[in-house]
Every structure is written in C-alpha cells, then in structure tokens.
Amino acid sequence: MGARDGILGGRDVEEGKAASNRRRWLKSRERWLVVLGVVLHAVYMLSIFDIYFKTPIVHGMDPVPPRFTAPAKRLVLLVADGLRADKFFEPDSKGQFRAPFLRNVIKGQGRWGVSHARPPTESRPGHVAIIAGFYEDPSAVTKGWKANPVEFDSVFNQSHYTFAFGSPDIVPIFCSALPHSSWNTYPHEYEDFATDASFLDQWSFDQLQELLNRSEGDPRVKQLLMQDNVVIFLHLLGCDSNGHAHRPYSSIYLNNVRVVDRIAEGVYNLLEGYFKDNQTAYIFTADHGMSDKGSHGDGHPTNTDTPLVAWGAGVKHPKQLSHSSHLDTGFRFVDEHMHNMPTPIEWGLSSIERVDVNQADIAPLMSTLLGLPCPVNSVGNLPLGYINLSEADGVEAVLANTKQVLNQFLRKSQMKQSNSLHFKPFKPLENYSSVLDQIEDLISIKNYDSAMELSLNLRSLSLEGLHYFQTYDWLMLMTTVTLGYIGWMIYVIIHVLQSYTSLPENLYRKKNQAFHLKKDNTKVYLFGCLLMVILCILLLVEHSPPLYHVYVTMTVFLWTQIFSEYPFLKVLWEQLSGRKFNCAVTLIASCAMSIFILEFLVNSFTERKLYTLCFLILGVVAAFYLFYFVPGKSVLPFFIWMSCWFLSIFTLMPAEIPDNTNLVVASGAMIILIGVAGRWFYLSNKKSKYWLEILSYNKQIPRLPNLFYLQAILVALSSIMVSLSTFHRTQKQELLALHQLINWSVAGFSMVLPLFSPTDLLARLTSICLGFAPAFLLLSIGYEAVFYSALSLVLVAWILFEFSVFCLGKVNISSNSVRSAEDRVIFEYDERCLQLSDLRVPLTFMVLFNVAFFGTGNFASIASFEISSVYRFITVFNPFLMAALLVFKLFIPFMLVICAFSAITKLVRIPRSGCYFLVILFSDAMTIHFFFLVRNTGSWMEIGNSISHFGIMSAQVVFVLLLFALTNIYTKDIQIGSPQASSRKAM
C-alpha cells in the first residue's frame, strides 16, 4: 500500500511540475497577446490619419507673383477668438446692436458675410486656415495645436514685415521662426477663467498703441511701419476665455463683443491718424465660434459660423439689395451645408449684400489686397465679392490663385508618379497646359468673361486633383487594416477556445501529431516571412511611409499565426460538425444575439436614447425572470427593476449638461444613503445562507473599524466644497488657495481608503463607490452627479442578478464544465471553464461600459467635454492638467463598472482573463464596424463624428486593459464564500 502511495505521489509531483510549467507558458503567451493587442490597436488607430487626414502640405512649389497693382499698402487682421456670428450680428434684449462701429462699416464702408470654419474648430487650425489658407491635418492636436508638425507658408511669410500681438498659444505659431516680424505675447498666467478675460483684448491693443508711440522716437520702427506689404495682426482672446468660463449667452461674453468692437474702432482711428494715406485694408473675423455650453471643436453651426467684415483700401463698398438674397446663394461650403443662407431678419442686414466664404478663402483675400503671392499651400478660393478690382485685374487675381492651387496638384502628382510602380494619373487635368495657354489667349484679346470661367473651372479641377492624390492609397490601406482587424479577432477566438473552454486538446497530446505540427508551422512561418519581405520591398520601392510597412507587417503576421493553428481549427470544425442539431442552433442563436447587442451599441453612438429603451426592457425582463425562479426573494426583482428604470432616465437628458449645483450637493446625500443601505444589508444578513458567498465574513479585525463613517464624512465634505467653490466663481471671485487644497486633498485621500476596507465582496464594493464619489462630485456640474448613484445601483443589481442565476443552477458546475487536473492548468482555484451562456457577462459589461461612457453626455463629440467642471481644482489655464482632470472624471464610472465585472467573475467562478479577451473581441467587432462607417463625403460634422466614433472605440480596447490593471488594486483581495468549492475539494 505504501509503495502504491509512493508511485502515485511521484506521479502527482511530476504532473504538478508539468502543470506549473504550462501555466507559466500560457501566462507568458497571454502577456505577449496583450502587448500585441495594445500595439496593434494603437497602430491601426493611426491608420485613420493616413487614410483621411494625411497632411495636405507639400513643399517644392514656387510662389505665383500677381500681375496687377496692389490695392493696399498694409493690412490689419483682427481675429476675435471664439466669437460666434449670431452673437456678433444680432441685437441684445434692448434691441441695441453689440458692435455699432463694425455695423456702421458694413452699412457704409465695406463688405460683410459669414466665414465658415471646418472642424476641428479649434484655435490653431482656425488661424492656420485664415493666415495660411489650408485646413490643417487634425493629427496636429497631438501637439496641442501649438508646435508646427510641418512647416508651411502663410501670408505673414510672404509679407515684407509682420507685427503681431496676442496669445502665447497662437502668435508664436506664425512668428517665432519668422525673421521679418516683431511680436509679443502676454504670460500664460493671464488666462484665468475665474476673471473677465476682456482685458486680454485691451492688452493687444495697448501693444499696438505702444508700437506706434515708440516709432516716433525710433527711425527703424518708423521705416518698418511705412514700407509696403506690412501686416498687423491682433489676436483677441477674450471672447474665447469668457465663453469657456461663463457661456456665450452670459453678460460677460456679450459685453466682450462690445469690447472687440471698440478695439476695432480704436485700431481704425489709430492707424488712419498715423498713416493718413487711406492705404490700409482691415479684416475682422474669428477663428471659430462657441457652443451654448461654452465649448468648441465640432461642426455645429455655432462653432463653424464666424463673422467676417472687411473695409478700407481695395475693399468694395456695400451693395444694397431689394430682396433678402446675396451673392453666394449656390456656393458650397467646406461642410457641404448651406448655413443660414437667408440672412436672419433679426440681424437687420437683409438689404445689404452678404458674401459668405470658406475660412481658408481669407488668406488669398489678404494676399490679393496686398498684391502678394498666395501662400503656396493655400486651397482657398479668392472671394472677388470683397475686392474692388477692375475686370482685367480680377481675372489676373483669379488666375494667380488658380495657378497656385494647380502647382500643388502638379507637385503631388510628380511625387506620386516618381514613387509608384503603377501610377494612375488624374485624367481631367492631363491637358492642363493647353487650358492655361487658352486662358492667356483669352486675356490677351480681353475676353475676360471666358477667361474667368476657364480659370474658375481649372481651379475647381485642381482642388479635385488634390483630393484624388490625398486619397490615392485609400483602397490599399483600407484593405490591409480590415484584414488586420479580422485576423486579430480570429486569433483572439482561437486563444479563448484553446485556453478557457472544455474543448478537447487531443491534437496537442499526441507526439507524432506534434511533430507534424511543428513541421507544418515551419512551412507556414517561412511562407509568411517571404510574403512579408516581398510586400515590404514593394513599399520600399514606392517610398511609402514607415507606418505602411507596419500595417502590412502586422496583418501578415496575424494571418501567419492563424494558419499555424490549422490543425486545431480542423479538429474544432470536425467536433462542431459532429454535434447534434440543437447544439448548432444554440451556437447560432448565441452568436446572433451577440451581434444584435453589438449592433445596438454601434447605433447608440449616434442615438443615446436607445439606452433608455434598453434599460426599460432589461429591468422588466430581469425582474420577471427572477420573480419566476426565486419567488421567495421578491424584493430582489423589484430592486433590479427600479434601478434599471432609474438609470434609463439619464440618456434622455441633454448632452449639454446644464449647471445645477444644488443637484450635485443633493447627489452627495444620495450616495451616502446608498452606502448606508449597503452597510445595513451587510450587517443584517450575516446568518443568511443565501447571501453567504457575497457576504463572506472573515474573522480578521478590520484595519480601520470606522472606515465607513470616515468615507461618508468625506462625501459630505466634498458636497459642501462644491457649493462653496461654485459660489466664489459665480461671484467672480478667485478660487481660494485653501478651497483648492481641500478639494485636491479630499479627492486624493478618499480614493486610497477603499484599500483598507474589508475584503468581503459587498463591503469592498461599497467602499469603492464611496471612495471615488468625492472626486466625481467635485468634477460635476449637474445631473451627472446623480448618474453616479444610478450607475452604482445598477451595478449592484447586476451582481445580485448574476449571483442568483448562478445559485439557481443555470450555470452547470459539473464534470463536463471543469477540466481535469491535467488540463485545468491556467485556472485559479475553484474556477471553471467558460460556457456559451457565459457570453452574457462580457456582453452586459459592454452595455454598462458604454452607458458609463454616454450616460452624462455625448462624449463622441469633441465639443462635449465641459471644461467648467475642473474649476474647483484649477482656474488658471493649463490645457494638460485640465484635460487630465476631464479624462479622469470620465474614467471614474468606467472603474466602477470594471470593479463590478471583476467581482462577478469571482462570484460565478469564471476566469477573469478569459472574459477580458471576450470583451476585447466584442470591442473589435464594433471597431471594425466603425472603421467602415468612417465617411469622406457629406458634411464635415458627419465626417468628424464618424472618425471620432472609430477613435473612441479603438482607444477603448486599449484603455480597458489599463483600467483592468488599475482596478485590480481594489478588487484582487475580494473574498468569495464557496461552500460548493469546499465540498468539491473534499470529494
């Protein structure tokens, strides 16, 4: 008997070592798979920029000198940052107009219209469009819209000299590397959102006045000012800062409109009195508008519609109309929409001709007024409706503009042809030289109308040609990235089936088959490497960007890995095809339901109200399911029903969150009540056998016995600080240093406390909810604070529902779902294999994760981030810290969802890693759908939203991993009572 025991014991040791080695190997494989997934999604997310937002800038073109006399000697550009067109043109509540000087200019001296910006409606791309004439690559946002990713030409570059004053975020972009310029900026500390920022506009005007005064005693400055082709640029930041801090309908913002009007009048009077030659042209405009909630970035008309007023030397005088139409009725703007084409009656300008432009058209307008070549990278069309030129000079100006755009097309065509093995030219412009000759002949015989028509047509074709070469590699890149995503999804499925299910692994147990497998794999890898080398050589010959090589390499690598698993896939297919018909029906039904839910989530990105319908239905279905199977626990179905219905309210709320400090304070009390209810449930059910696994009491003395009361006090304190901090801001007082210190301390300290809470599931999750509540409350401005409570209740309901289903035996923990000791090498103690029914857990996680994403607004839009929510921590402008606080606020609901998800995987005994890979799989199914939904036609608002949806979903795959790692700090110690496990262990 002893010998027998010895033999068995030795075998157990050997099996234990083998199992331990294989467990380490599989964990190492998973780490490699996670790293591969992060890199793949980061790289493929960049592909959207290569496909749709590749930088339009090319170098090597020569400027096209104009062949007409300059209408003006100097030009003044006034840019009121963040000024909306409607707030500029409309009257106030008393019927008085906010910009009386510029309104008199419109009626008596110059021309006016609406300048249409293109998303992203941010300060840097807006100024680039105005001054350089092209729409910048949005990937520049990764540099904060400050550093120049690619050097470009501008009106300032072409000028003889430029004077610029304004924001430190804008002026250096155009002047820091410009030798023929003088500029100055105020310190960043001046941009304080707690104050009225109109003094920043006055600062720019004072700098100009000081310059003119200094020139009286400095002959060099006098000489610079008196020369031709001088540009004076004043950047007026006040409207932008006040719009962010106080909203564009506030008295402070509307008063700032009056301030910029007075500055425009002051600049005009100052320069006309200084030069006294009537040779100065003036242009007043804005880089972008401002949404009602004090943000910008997307393609909403409040952000894209900006005022444009031009007057002075070379500008036409107003033209009276007998009807409410204007010159550009049929003009197509950059977003393909006709914004406010009929002039609103309340503007009182319907009788004066209105000339609308695209924002990039302002650059050729300024160049033409000064008689300068257009910036070589400009794609703007010269708006002749503003310039007072003779018929001959007008044709020459349009022809110069056309040649400048054509030169860009020819340069791009030359670059692509020199690098392509099989070049496909843009056929409509193959005979461009003959068209140019024809235009010159028509000008020589003074047939200006025909010459103008041909010039405009040639310019239009040149712009189409630029778009053609901008998207030349589109088909190849889309195919490569799509195959890469599909390959990644198949690879993840294979890993989950091999590692976390009860499928047989006979293929890998037989030595002879393992030998053939190795031989076959060698051939597959050799073929994959050969294909990879061939494709990379082709890309190298075509001088393709390095990222093209990465896309191709990753895609080939993934499919090589898939083909290397051919034996396993063959055995899998044989097993599935040999099962009964009802098994196939169950599998197909599960896949169909999963696809339906994922499609539902895809559509929810554009229609948040779908979540309301979803939770109304889920609440009823889950409640009746439990009521039918658990009649003795009637309170539980009612709780699940009500919590789901409570959460359904929030996706009906406006995406633009209105300020409601009282609601934030009240939600603090609600969170405390939820904590009290959780603690009461925890203490009153100690003897309940039904809740034993959730309330797994350990006999250790808590490290902090009064932790719950401390956390409740911190939640109450954060509510008080919300009220105090908001009161100071509404009274236009600076945020006190003491308040700032308390807010930072409470938010930071409270997030550490859950680590010291009891390790029982309910106690730890209650502590986590209370721990993140102070930070979320301090970053809230309205109903999103109540959303925190509603989400917490639904997460508790989810845990109780999964636990009830588990206890009811709907999850079969038997011999057919638990691997043998030899096979179950990657599972923790008491874990089981994944079953088809377990897809419910990651799918529910996906729904709740996206509700956490969209429950408090439309975060798929760039302009949806409410910057005022950070004012309780910081008011001095600091874009990186403010962005970090906004992202952290967004992450808090995610962390609650992931903590609940981790607890459920422990509660129902399924491997957390396996569920994580299923979440990645479902996320990628949505990502590839969004990849196909990306648009390159239609309005720029639709294009921008489709790209942001793809980016959000791609990034979600990456940061879910980071949040899993972060929340593991809080959930790894959670203990689950397991009487079933004890009995199985005894067996």
Side-chain angles (χ1 to χ4, degrees):
M1 190 69 178
R4 184 178 176 182
D5 290 342
I7 294 173
L8 291 175
R11 183 178 177 182
D12 287 343
V13 171
E14 292 178 0
E15 289 180 352
K17 289 182 179 180
S20 177
N21 291 335
R22 190 170 177 224
R23 182 183 293 113
R24 284 196 296 268
W25 178 82
L26 286 173
K27 292 296 183 184
S28 175
R29 179 189 177 188
E30 287 195 342
R31 283 193 292 269
W32 155 246
L33 195 62
V34 167
V35 171
L36 176 64
V38 172
V39 173
L40 178 140
H41 287 92
V43 170
Y44 281 173
M45 190 161 53
L46 293 176
S47 70
I48 207 68
F49 295 105
D50 280 324
I51 295 171
Y52 294 99
F53 290 104
K54 192 174 182 179
T55 177
I57 302 174
V58 290
H59 298 95
M61 300 84 65
D62 295 325
V64 181
R67 300 185 299 193
F68 56 87
T69 305
K73 290 183 62 175
R74 68 196 67 85
L75 181 137
V76 179
L77 174 62
L78 304 172
V79 178
D81 201 310
L83 177 57
R84 273 169 57 162
D86 58 345
K87 300 302 179 186
F88 176 78
F89 289 118
E90 71 186 14
D92 58 20
S93 58
K94 299 179 181 179
Q96 298 178 348
F97 293 97
R98 303 184 183 99
F101 169 74
L102 290 172
R103 191 170 185 83
N104 290 332
V105 167
I106 291 172
K107 291 183 174 181
Q109 287 182 261
R111 305 304 291 253
W112 77 285
V114 172
S115 170
H116 296 266
R118 195 195 83 170
T121 45
E122 300 287 346
S123 292
R124 176 194 165 100
H127 282 85
V128 169
I130 293 170
I131 300 170
F134 70 93
Y135 302 105
E136 191 177 31
D137 171 18
S139 63
V141 73
T142 58
K143 300 189 178 229
W145 302 118
K146 296 177 183 177
N148 287 343
V150 181
E151 293 303 322
F152 53 82
D153 191 22
S154 71
V155 176
F156 295 176
N157 292 41
Q158 297 291 344
S159 70
H160 286 175
Y161 208 84
T162 294
F163 298 92
F165 307 104
S167 167
D169 297 326
I170 297 300
V171 172
I173 294 174
F174 303 95
C175 299
S176 60
L178 193 63
H180 54 278
S181 67
S182 295
W183 55 280
N184 195 12
T185 63
Y186 41 78
H188 278 288
E189 292 74 22
Y190 280 23
E191 302 175 29
D192 191 341
F193 290 111
T195 62
D196 183 351
S198 60
F199 76 95
L200 299 176
D201 302 342
Q202 187 64 43
W203 183 94
S204 298
F205 175 75
D206 292 342
Q207 291 292 309
L208 175 62
Q209 194 169 32
E210 182 184 337
L211 173 71
L212 299 182
N213 293 336
R214 190 169 73 248
S215 68
E216 298 297 339
D218 190 335
R220 179 181 173 275
V221 176
K222 183 81 170 182
Q223 181 184 4
L224 293 174
L225 285 167
M226 297 305 295
Q227 66 180 330
D228 293 347
N229 304 132
V230 171
V231 176
I232 298 173
F233 170 47
L234 295 188
H235 176 251
L236 312 175
L237 185 64
C239 287
D240 184 75
S241 296
N242 285 329
H244 285 312
H246 309 288
R247 309 294 189 276
Y249 47 80
S250 65
S251 59
I252 293 179
Y253 179 91
L254 298 177
N255 181 68
N256 208 145
V257 179
R258 297 182 173 90
V259 171
V260 296
D261 180 72
R262 288 197 297 268
I263 288 177
E265 182 179 14
V267 169
Y268 175 73
N269 293 331
L270 190 65
L271 294 180
E272 291 301 309
Y274 183 86
F275 292 107
K276 301 176 183 178
D277 58 1
N278 296 321
Q279 290 295 305
T280 307
Y282 301 85
I283 291 181
F284 174 89
T285 187
D287 54 347
H288 56 75
M290 184 74 62
S291 70
D292 286 341
K293 66 172 187 173
S295 60
H296 52 83
D298 64 13
H300 193 274
T302 57
N303 290 327
T304 61
D305 290 1
T306 62
L308 175 61
V309 182
W311 75 99
V315 179
K316 288 182 178 180
H317 285 272
K319 179 180 178 181
Q320 299 295 320
L321 297 176
S322 58
H323 52 84
S324 59
S325 63
H326 56 89
L327 188 64
D328 293 319
T329 301
F331 191 72
R332 292 166 67 86
F333 296 105
V334 288
D335 54 3
E336 303 291 330
H337 282 179
M338 301 294 186
H339 289 305
N340 295 327
M341 293 307 296
T343 301
I345 297 175
E346 61 270 19
W347 291 7
L349 296 172
S350 299
S351 61
I352 304 174
E353 185 179 73
R354 164 182 164 185
V355 185
D356 285 8
V357 300
N358 291 324
Q359 194 171 61
D361 299 343
I362 298 175
L365 171 62
M366 293 191 293
S367 297
T368 303
L369 287 171
L370 289 172
L372 296 172
C374 291
V376 295
N377 303 116
S378 172
V379 294
N381 296 322
L382 176 64
L384 282 176
Y386 281 86
I387 306 178
N388 187 19
L389 292 174
S390 65
E391 190 176 12
D393 286 348
V395 173
E396 290 289 357
V398 171
L399 180 59
N401 181 209
T402 298
K403 289 180 177 179
Q404 172 263 321
V405 178
L406 180 63
N407 284 348
Q408 292 184 74
F409 163 79
L410 295 175
R411 178 59 180 158
K412 286 195 173 186
S413 177
Q414 177 189 3
M415 293 171 61
K416 184 55 66 175
Q417 185 174 7
S418 63
N419 295 333
S420 297
L421 296 176
H422 180 62
F423 177 69
K424 297 179 181 179
F426 183 65
K427 294 182 179 179
L429 281 178
E430 287 182 315
N431 61 339
Y432 73 91
S433 57
S434 63
V435 177
L436 286 175
D437 293 338
Q438 189 177 357
I439 294 173
E440 295 290 352
D441 292 340
L442 290 171
I443 292 176
S444 65
I445 62 174
K446 298 184 179 180
N447 188 351
Y448 298 125
D449 291 338
S450 299
M452 178 69 76
E453 183 180 354
L454 279 178
S455 296
L456 293 174
N457 183 59
L458 182 59
R459 183 175 66 185
S460 177
L461 288 175
S462 299
L463 290 172
E464 290 180 18
L466 287 176
H467 178 74
Y468 171 79
F469 285 114
Q470 193 73 15
T471 60
Y472 189 85
D473 297 325
W474 182 84
L475 181 61
M476 183 274 290
L477 290 174
M478 286 287 286
T479 303
T480 301
V481 174
T482 300
L483 288 174
Y485 273 118
I486 294 174
W488 164 255
M489 292 168 63
I490 295 175
Y491 194 46
V492 169
I493 292 173
I494 291 173
H495 173 72
V496 171
L497 292 176
Q498 288 179 338
S499 304
Y500 296 105
T501 66
S502 57
L503 291 172
E505 297 181 349
N506 297 328
L507 181 68
Y508 301 100
R509 295 174 185 167
K510 298 178 181 180
K511 295 182 179 180
N512 58 338
Q513 290 186 354
F515 173 79
H516 291 300
L517 178 64
K518 182 178 179 180
K519 184 177 180 181
D520 293 340
N521 280 352
T522 303
K523 292 180 179 179
V524 170
Y525 290 141
L526 285 176
F527 179 79
C529 291
L530 181 61
L531 179 61
M532 195 181 300
V533 170
I534 292 173
L535 293 176
C536 286
I537 290 175
L538 292 176
L539 292 174
L540 197 62
V541 171
E542 294 192 346
H543 300 280
S544 297
L547 275 178
Y548 286 25
H549 296 261
V550 179
Y551 303 147
V552 170
T553 300
M554 280 194 148
T555 300
V556 174
F557 172 78
L558 286 169
W559 282 97
T560 302
Q561 295 296 318
I562 292 170
F563 282 112
S564 69
E565 300 289 348
Y566 171 75
F568 171 76
L569 295 175
K570 182 180 179 181
V571 170
L572 175 64
W573 172 253
E574 291 174 354
Q575 183 179 9
L576 292 177
S577 60
R579 291 200 173 190
K580 295 181 180 180
F581 177 74
N582 60 343
C583 294
V585 171
T586 303
L587 177 62
I588 294 173
S590 300
C591 294
M593 180 57 67
S594 300
I595 293 172
F596 173 79
I597 294 174
L598 296 177
E599 288 299 306
F600 167 85
L601 294 176
V602 168
N603 285 281
S604 70
F605 271 63
T606 54
E607 189 54 63
R608 295 169 58 234
K609 294 179 181 179
L610 287 174
Y611 286 114
T612 299
L613 178 64
C614 171
F615 279 94
L616 288 176
I617 295 174
L618 281 180
V620 174
V621 172
F624 275 93
Y625 177 85
L626 290 186
F627 188 79
Y628 178 79
F629 286 103
V630 197
K633 307 290 181 181
S634 57
V635 177
L636 177 58
F638 181 77
F639 170 71
I640 293 176
W641 187 344
M642 289 298 101
S643 60
C644 287
W645 279 29
F646 184 27
L647 185 64
S648 70
I649 299 173
F650 293 91
T651 44
L652 294 175
M653 298 287 188
E656 298 180 356
I657 303 173
D659 288 349
N660 193 330
T661 304
N662 294 331
L663 195 59
V664 178
V665 174
S667 65
M670 189 182 302
I671 293 170
I672 294 175
L673 288 177
I674 292 174
V676 170
R679 184 165 178 80
W680 172 83
F681 184 83
Y682 175 75
L683 295 175
S684 62
N685 288 277
K686 286 186 177 182
K687 299 180 180 180
S688 172
K689 295 181 179 180
Y690 186 81
W691 302 115
L692 181 61
E693 297 184 61
I694 292 181
L695 308 174
S696 174
Y697 297 94
N698 55 58
K699 298 181 181 180
Q700 297 179 356
I701 299 176
R703 285 176 285 183
L704 296 176
N706 298 319
L707 177 64
F708 172 79
Y709 303 105
L710 176 59
Q711 288 188 294
I713 291 172
L714 289 177
V715 174
L717 179 60
S718 65
S719 299
I720 296 172
M721 294 309 301
V722 165
S723 181
L724 286 177
S725 301
T726 305
F727 174 78
H728 274 269
R729 186 166 67 88
T730 55
Q731 297 299 315
K732 301 182 179 62
Q733 300 177 7
E734 293 186 4
L735 180 65
L736 298 180
L738 177 61
H739 290 179
Q740 205 169 357
L741 177 62
I742 293 174
N743 292 342
W744 281 101
S745 301
V746 169
F749 182 62
S750 63
M751 288 186 292
V752 179
L753 293 180
L755 298 175
F756 301 94
S757 63
T759 56
D760 309 307
L761 186 147
L762 185 61
R764 174 57 62 92
L765 291 182
T766 302
S767 181
I768 291 172
C769 176
L770 292 173
F772 284 102
F776 195 82
L777 290 174
L778 289 168
L779 288 169
S780 298
I781 63 170
Y783 70 79
E784 78 271 33
V786 185
F787 170 79
Y788 184 91
S789 301
L791 180 65
S792 301
L793 291 174
V794 168
L795 292 177
V796 173
W798 181 31
I799 292 172
L800 297 179
F801 176 82
E802 291 293 344
F803 172 72
S804 299
V805 172
F806 179 72
C807 289
L808 288 169
K810 299 303 177 184
V811 179
N812 183 23
I813 307 180
S814 58
S815 59
N816 64 347
S817 66
V818 181
R819 291 187 179 183
S820 64
E822 181 181 354
D823 295 329
R824 292 179 65 252
V825 295
I826 66 167
F827 293 92
E828 301 297 334
Y829 175 69
D830 203 30
E831 284 183 348
R832 60 183 175 83
C833 294
L834 287 172
Q835 299 178 13
L836 199 57
S837 60
D838 292 323
L839 289 176
R840 179 185 66 255
V841 175
L843 283 172
T844 306
F845 169 81
M846 292 292 295
V847 173
L848 290 172
F849 195 83
N850 281 273
V851 167
F853 203 61
F854 289 105
T856 58
N858 180 17
F859 286 103
S861 172
I862 300 174
S864 293
F865 292 94
E866 183 52 65
I867 195 171
S868 63
S869 61
V870 306
Y871 292 161
R872 300 185 188 108
F873 291 93
I874 183 174
T875 59
V876 177
F877 183 69
N878 187 328
F880 297 105
L881 181 57
M882 287 178 168
L885 288 170
L886 287 172
V887 172
F888 176 69
K889 175 189 175 182
L890 183 64
F891 276 13
I892 289 176
F894 295 161
M895 296 181 71
L896 294 183
V897 175
I898 293 178
C899 286
F901 176 73
S902 300
I904 286 173
T905 57
K906 288 190 175 185
L907 195 61
V908 300
R909 276 84 172 168
I910 53 178
R912 184 171 180 256
S913 299
C915 285
Y916 164 73
F917 282 111
L918 288 177
V919 168
I920 295 298
L921 176 64
F922 294 145
S923 297
D924 280 324
M926 295 175 61
T927 302
I928 197 170
H929 191 145
F930 281 125
F931 189 66
F932 284 111
L933 290 179
V934 171
R935 300 183 56 179
N936 63 349
T937 57
S939 76
W940 267 101
M941 183 175 183
E942 293 164 342
I943 294 173
N945 281 342
S946 66
I947 292 174
S948 65
H949 294 164
F950 169 75
I952 287 169
M953 207 64 229
S954 298
Q956 179 173 307
V957 175
V958 176
F959 66 65
V960 161
L961 171 66
L962 301 178
L963 290 176
F964 263 87
L966 183 61
T967 55
N968 191 53
I969 300 173
Y970 295 95
T971 60
K972 65 181 179 180
D973 296 330
I974 290 179
Q975 295 181 4
I976 304 294
S978 183
Q980 294 177 353
S982 301
S983 62
R984 282 201 301 272
K985 183 178 178 182
M987 291 176 63

